[in-house]
Amino acid sequence: GSNFYKNSGTGTSTANNAEIIVGPFVTDGGVKQIGVTYQYRRLVQITDAFAYTGTPQAVLRVERKVGEGSYTTVGDYTFNGTASGEDGFGPSEPGSALIQINGGASFTDTTAGTGDFTYRVSIISRSVGGLTSTVSLEDELRQQVTLISTEQIT
């Protein structure tokens, strides 16, 4: 058949330990295609040379719970990002720095059971603090975590 159960959730907290919970939702006990996406974006103005140490990185943990059971870890997913910038020359001629991570992962969950399913996605580590330039203005700070579960039903 071509009918699907589709359940999803998105969180926009900018915390370094943000999490989302999708569910509990009903299931026919079929195979679920799970997709997880992560976005982080910080844009600032700087007044001196652009300098960033290390690589922006976030690690997300996906956990599953069936019925009233406890959460079990499905997997940990590491997403690496980039840091780029243009030098600033004092407060009157600022430069900019952009730190961003964009990542996605997908897996097939074959866990059986017709109890309600719940997924939790949490940031278990986030390293985005490598900017050593002098920041004069925070222009933008965004973070988004999304999980989508799709189950074909007959």
Side-chain angles (χ1 to χ4, degrees):
S2 55
N3 293 320
F4 295 89
Y5 284 139
K6 189 170 184 178
N7 295 276
S8 64
T10 297
T12 55
S13 162
T14 56
N16 65 2
N17 60 348
E19 67 172 43
I20 65 167
I21 293 177
V22 180
F25 58 83
V26 298
T27 170
D28 279 358
V31 170
K32 294 163 191 64
Q33 303 295 332
I34 308 297
V36 177
T37 57
Y38 176 74
Q39 292 179 306
Y40 175 90
R41 178 182 167 91
R42 180 185 178 213
L43 179 65
V44 299
Q45 292 184 17
I46 58 175
T47 56
D48 49 8
F50 168 76
Y52 193 95
T53 305
T55 301
Q57 184 183 87
V59 182
L60 271 62
R61 174 166 292 166
V62 180
E63 297 166 289
R64 174 210 321 109
K65 179 172 78 169
V66 181
E68 295 302 310
S70 53
Y71 281 105
T72 56
T73 298
V74 177
D76 293 345
Y77 300 92
T78 300
F79 302 121
N80 290 315
T82 58
S84 56
E86 296 177 3
D87 293 350
F89 301 94
S92 60
E93 199 177 333
S96 63
L98 175 62
I99 303 150
Q100 55 185 351
I101 306 171
N102 289 294
S106 58
F107 61 92
T108 301
D109 194 341
T110 58
T111 301
T114 53
D116 289 348
F117 267 59
T118 305
Y119 289 95
R120 178 167 67 190
V121 185
S122 50
I123 301 171
I124 59 172
S125 80
R126 187 182 74 181
S127 172
V128 290
L131 185 68
T132 55
S133 311
T134 303
V135 174
S136 57
L137 184 66
E138 294 277 350
D139 275 337
E140 190 180 0
L141 180 62
R142 285 210 316 259
Q143 180 172 263
Q144 185 168 297
V145 179
T146 300
L147 181 140
I148 300 173
S149 167
T150 307
E151 173 185 353
Q152 187 167 339
I153 54 179
T154 49

